Amino acid sequence: MIPHLTTALSGPLLDLERSILNAMPAIEHWLRGQWQEHAAPFYASVDLRNSGFKLAPVDTNLFPGGFNNLNPDFLPLCVQAAMAAIEKVCPEARGVLLVPENHTRNTFYLQNVAALTNILRLAGLNVRVGSLLPETTAARTIDLPNGQSIVLEPLRRKGNRLTVEGFDPCAVLLNNDLSAGVPEILKGLEQPVIPPLIAGWSTRRKSRHFTAYDQVAQAFAKLIGIDPWLINPYFATCGQINFKERRGEECLAAHVDEILKNVREKYREYGITEAPFAVVKADAGTYGMGVMMVRDASEVLELNRNQRKKMAVVKEGLEVHEVLVQEGVYTYESVDDAVAEPVIYMIDHFVVGGFYRVHTSRGKDENLNAPGMHFVPLAFETSCLTPDFTGSPDCPPNRFYAYSVVARLALVAAAIELEQYPTEPELAATVA
């Protein structure tokens, strides 16, 4: 399925899609070179926005939680990619302990855990699911709406190994983004922990990711001869904000003003008549929390109490003191008159599919990762890996291929980003 692109401003995007399609051999060669230099994260998902004149990533998640939303036809792709990923991090692996989020009441998330468990088992691994919840003191089975079930077991620490009853795994796979910090039980393990603990939000920052992405986008744009802005949102950071006490608002307003100014110049260059907007989001965290859209710098100086409260705390009660100011990218894709944005899933450096995040009550310039969104049954019909050289640049296989390329650029950025953390003692100390 591909949604309708509801805009007449498709010229620049068609040119971009055409450039990507024409440069496919050079792009794939360049990406192969990147994976020789950088180790791909075990898995990731990338949120893209397609404005009809720009196609850019707006978020990269290193603990993806929507494997249940992928097209079932692409299960073999997932299994093969998982085999490759496991061989790299732990060639001897026979058993993997999966550590999920603590969302035991979120059946949609638990269906993701079940789907991920199935992929790993089909990749030839014994898999058990260990819960970080202290109230999980015995194994319990949770039945899911789709007819599947998962068994959650209490985690046990034996020396420097993480186990569950009767199972000593070769590796620990996290599907928990560590927003609340790194639990003691996960520190100092002798087993490989994937992704590494530094990939969690207790350490990771979106600004570092987009700094790395900016470098990748510049190099890629030079490779295929395009304006890097077409695939790269402007951004800035403000590291001394306190929404509750109204400190740092002037810094935030100045960054918003600068971003909007730069976007206006680009809009004039491309003849775009839309009004620029910026997204202010917590520099650490996920689930669409701590996000607001602004169209003028004055808006961040005039936040009411409820708005400041919403921005001050994100998932797991984490207080927000660092924010990312990012160029807002419109989404002009829609499904059944509902606004949609593509989400691309990767295991190792392989694209394994994607789906559309759809929201019936949000607009083209709003955050779609919010209550009321839905995914199923909007899984991609093609795998993002097989462009149609005889088709138009915007036919489904070719648009999906463009999605896969930009998503893999974000994955390269994530690989570079993760390489930087262990070299900084103050960050490494947080997970020592």
Side-chain angles (χ1 to χ4, degrees):
M1 174 177 289
I2 189 166
H4 180 55
L5 191 63
T6 55
T7 176
L9 297 171
S10 55
L13 184 65
L14 283 172
D15 290 342
L16 172 61
E17 291 173 333
R18 188 177 291 110
S19 296
I20 290 175
L21 192 64
N22 291 341
M24 181 187 179
I27 290 171
E28 296 301 329
H29 176 266
W30 184 83
L31 285 169
R32 284 193 294 271
Q34 296 301 305
W35 300 128
Q36 290 175 2
E37 295 181 22
H38 309 291
F42 183 84
Y43 50 16
S45 64
V46 177
D47 296 352
L48 300 176
R49 301 275 283 201
N50 182 347
S51 65
F53 52 84
K54 181 168 187 158
L55 175 62
V58 294
D59 204 9
T60 300
N61 185 1
L62 297 181
F63 301 88
F67 281 97
N68 55 308
N69 297 319
L70 297 178
N71 189 330
D73 291 344
F74 303 149
L75 180 59
L77 283 178
C78 295
V79 172
Q80 188 172 29
M83 287 178 173
I86 288 290
E87 286 173 5
K88 288 182 180 179
V89 296
C90 188
E92 309 85 10
R94 293 185 297 275
V96 170
L97 182 54
L98 176 61
V99 180
E101 296 278 358
N102 294 335
H103 305 321
T104 55
R105 295 181 181 178
N106 185 335
T107 56
F108 293 108
Y109 172 73
L110 293 179
Q111 288 177 63
N112 155 75
V113 174
L116 183 54
T117 300
N118 185 48
I119 291 169
L120 296 171
R121 284 175 176 157
L122 290 173
L125 297 168
N126 294 315
V127 186
R128 303 272 282 274
V129 182
S131 174
L132 287 168
L133 287 170
E135 57 266 32
T136 303
T137 57
R140 62 189 181 107
T141 300
I142 301 177
D143 295 322
L144 303 175
N146 60 2
Q148 295 178 307
S149 64
I150 63 170
V151 178
L152 288 181
E153 301 182 68
L155 291 172
R156 297 284 184 263
R157 180 75 177 245
K158 294 184 178 180
N160 289 332
R161 298 190 69 82
L162 193 66
T163 68
V164 293
E165 183 68 29
F167 185 66
D168 186 0
C170 304
V172 176
L173 177 61
L174 298 180
N175 197 243
N176 183 309
D177 63 24
L178 306 177
S179 290
V182 180
E184 288 297 321
I185 198 171
L186 296 180
K187 294 180 180 179
L189 294 174
E190 62 183 50
Q191 299 138 304
V193 178
I194 45 180
L197 298 178
I198 54 170
W201 286 122
S202 55
T203 305
R204 190 175 179 234
R205 295 294 180 267
K206 296 174 186 178
S207 54
R208 288 178 175 268
H209 174 73
F210 282 101
T211 297
Y213 181 79
D214 182 64
Q215 299 168 2
V216 173
Q218 296 287 341
F220 178 81
K222 184 177 181 180
L223 174 74
I224 69 170
I226 63 169
D227 179 352
W229 176 76
L230 294 173
I231 57 171
N232 190 14
Y234 290 130
F235 76 95
T237 57
C238 185
Q240 297 295 327
I241 189 78
N242 189 315
F243 287 101
K244 290 182 179 179
E245 299 177 7
R246 310 203 71 159
R247 291 202 311 265
E249 291 180 342
E250 293 77 11
C251 165
L252 183 56
H255 284 313
V256 168
D257 192 55
E258 183 68 17
I259 292 291
L260 292 175
K261 176 183 175 182
N262 292 337
V263 176
R264 286 190 196 98
E265 291 177 359
K266 278 295 182 182
Y267 278 18
R268 282 194 292 269
E269 178 183 340
Y270 283 94
I272 297 164
T273 58
E274 294 286 3
F277 70 101
V279 183
V280 177
K281 60 177 77 172
D283 205 12
T286 185
Y287 285 88
M289 301 176 71
V291 179
M292 65 179 177
M293 274 57 174
V294 295
R295 290 155 188 82
D296 189 271
S298 63
E299 293 179 37
V300 300
L301 299 173
E302 300 169 355
L303 297 178
N304 62 38
R305 183 180 178 184
N306 286 338
Q307 289 171 319
R308 285 187 283 112
K309 184 177 179 180
K310 178 183 175 182
M311 290 297 299
V313 178
V314 291
K315 182 186 172 190
E316 303 285 359
L318 188 67
E319 291 189 3
V320 176
H321 296 296
E322 302 166 282
V323 296
L324 180 78
V325 182
Q326 190 177 61
E327 170 191 347
V329 181
Y330 284 92
T331 178
Y332 275 102
E333 294 185 283
S334 64
V335 174
D336 295 331
D337 297 322
V339 176
E341 64 185 11
V343 183
I344 307 299
Y345 267 58
M346 291 161 286
I347 299 177
D348 195 71
H349 65 275
F350 302 102
V351 175
V352 295
F355 50 84
Y356 284 97
R357 176 181 287 116
V358 182
H359 208 301
T360 57
S361 59
R362 292 289 175 107
K364 62 188 180 183
D365 57 353
E366 292 185 281
N367 174 33
L368 304 189
N369 190 2
M373 65 182 174
H374 65 278
F375 309 104
V376 182
L378 300 170
F380 290 179
E381 291 178 355
T382 69
S383 68
C384 306
L385 301 174
T386 52
D388 180 0
F389 294 106
T390 65
S392 63
D394 61 342
C395 71
N398 293 340
R399 177 160 294 163
F400 289 146
Y401 179 69
Y403 289 167
S404 83
V405 169
V406 176
R408 283 181 286 169
L409 297 182
L411 191 69
V412 174
I416 294 172
E417 170 199 357
L418 292 181
E419 290 170 357
Q420 298 170 350
Y421 288 124
T423 64
E424 302 179 46
E426 72 278 10
L427 292 176
T430 66
V431 294

